[in-house]
Amino acid sequence: MRVAVVTGASSGIGAALCRALAGQGWHVVGLSRRPAPEAAEHEECDVADRASVEAAAARVLERHPRVDLLVNNAGVGMREGFLSGDLDHVERVLRTNYLGSVWTLRAFMPALGRGARVVNVVSVAGTIAVGPYSASKHAQLGFSRSIAAELASQGVDVLTVNPGFVETPGFPQRSRFNFLMGRLVVDPPFVADRIVAAIESGRREIVVPRWYRPLIWIQALAPGLVARVLGRF
Ligand SMILES: NC(=O)c1ccc[n+]([C@@H]2O[C@H](COP(=O)([O-])OP(=O)(O)OC[C@H]3O[C@@H](n4cnc5c(N)ncnc54)[C@H](OP(=O)(O)O)[C@@H]3O)[C@@H](O)[C@H]2O)c1
């Protein structure tokens, strides 16, 4: 039985991923503060709280000493910028989206043997600079790429997933856009299927959908231009 642990399993991409993994024969343990009906087992866990993560991991490892797949997916959004946003919210976003991935990886390391995989659900926002949420995702992207190097010697592969706009309860995207832009938003099962396919084929980094890639290249090649254009909005 292949065991997967998925954080943020109660909603959106995480819930869809639990369903997709179960369909491929995985036994999925979901971690979240609310229940996760799509997972075979659930542990209550606040990933922004290191003690909560360590306690949840200890409970899971008692039942499953080997974990074949760890998915750091839990995350919260924030639309406000650095100048107007509530500072407690800035801190919560960083603790959940970045530190939550760090705490979770470290807590589950004893169960991740050779051949195991780690998946970090980051974001296209981790490559394009637009506010505190984006900054937290830049940090998580740096974490994901760093551990890909650190874990290589232990035979653990890392997959970084950068989704674009996805319609979920926590990120209601379609209501923000007009009809045409709304057509660019995808649904959680689309992302979940891409993640499962990338796990099976051994990919290291994916952008979902693929057509976001040129935006990432433009940010890397012309950061001044991107800041000027975003500043107009
Ligand atoms: N939707 C998008 O457009 C989009 C685009 C790119 C990347 N992403 C990323 O995809 C991931 C999933 O987001 P989603 O769109 O599926 O949003 P969602 O529907 O709001 O789901 C977020 C999940 O994260 C969990 N979570 C939040 N804070 C947590 C905490 N402190 N401790 C434990 N779990 C916590 C939630 O569970 P509980 O509330 O039950 O704890 C929930 O299961 C996030 O990392 C997000 O940044 C989303």
Side-chain angles (χ1 to χ4, degrees):
M1 182 175 68
R2 296 186 298 174
V3 174
V5 172
V6 177
T7 71
S10 62
S11 174
I13 295 169
L17 188 57
C18 291
R19 201 176 318 127
L21 287 170
Q24 297 294 314
W26 287 85
H27 180 85
V28 183
V29 183
L31 267 54
S32 45
R33 294 165 301 181
R34 292 168 292 166
E38 300 291 348
E41 296 177 35
H42 175 252
E43 282 294 340
E44 192 178 320
C45 176
D46 179 351
V47 299
D49 174 354
R50 184 147 60 111
S52 169
V53 174
E54 288 169 356
R59 293 194 297 274
V60 174
L61 298 197
E62 265 181 29
R63 301 194 297 276
H64 304 290
R66 170 157 176 120
V67 170
D68 303 286
L69 173 66
L70 171 65
V71 183
N72 287 310
N73 163 75
V76 285
M78 175 166 185
R79 294 221 168 123
E80 299 79 16
F82 280 106
L83 301 184
S84 58
D86 173 65
L87 289 178
D88 287 339
H89 196 174
V90 173
E91 186 176 338
R92 189 162 66 252
V93 164
L94 192 69
R95 292 183 73 83
T96 308
N97 298 357
Y98 165 51
L99 289 174
S101 299
V102 180
W103 308 148
T104 307
L105 174 75
R106 285 292 294 266
F108 280 94
M109 265 315 290
L112 297 171
R114 198 159 276 279
R117 292 187 69 94
V118 175
V119 175
N120 297 306
V121 179
V122 186
S123 176
V124 168
T127 66
I128 298 172
V130 272
Y133 171 76
S134 162
S136 75
K137 288 291 173 179
H138 276 68
Q140 191 194 15
L141 181 63
F143 159 77
S144 191
R145 289 174 172 169
S146 298
I147 57 153
E150 286 188 42
L151 287 172
S153 63
Q154 303 189 30
V156 177
D157 287 344
V158 176
L159 166 66
T160 302
V161 179
N162 294 315
F165 293 122
V166 188
E167 180 69 21
T168 64
F171 296 75
Q173 306 283 21
R174 287 197 175 101
S175 56
R176 302 168 65 195
F177 300 127
N178 60 27
F179 177 75
L180 269 185
M181 279 291 285
R183 314 251 323 164
L184 305 179
V185 178
V186 299
D187 291 304
F190 178 87
V191 181
D193 289 347
R194 286 293 164 87
I195 294 174
V196 170
I199 292 168
E200 300 298 344
S201 63
R203 300 279 301 277
R204 301 303 174 97
E205 190 156 329
I206 57 170
V207 177
V208 190
R210 291 190 192 94
W211 52 260
Y212 279 91
R213 275 189 280 194
L215 297 178
I216 296 171
W217 300 332
I218 293 169
Q219 167 76 80
L221 293 170
L225 173 70
V226 173
R228 277 199 297 280
V229 171
L230 290 176
R232 295 197 177 180
F233 296 99

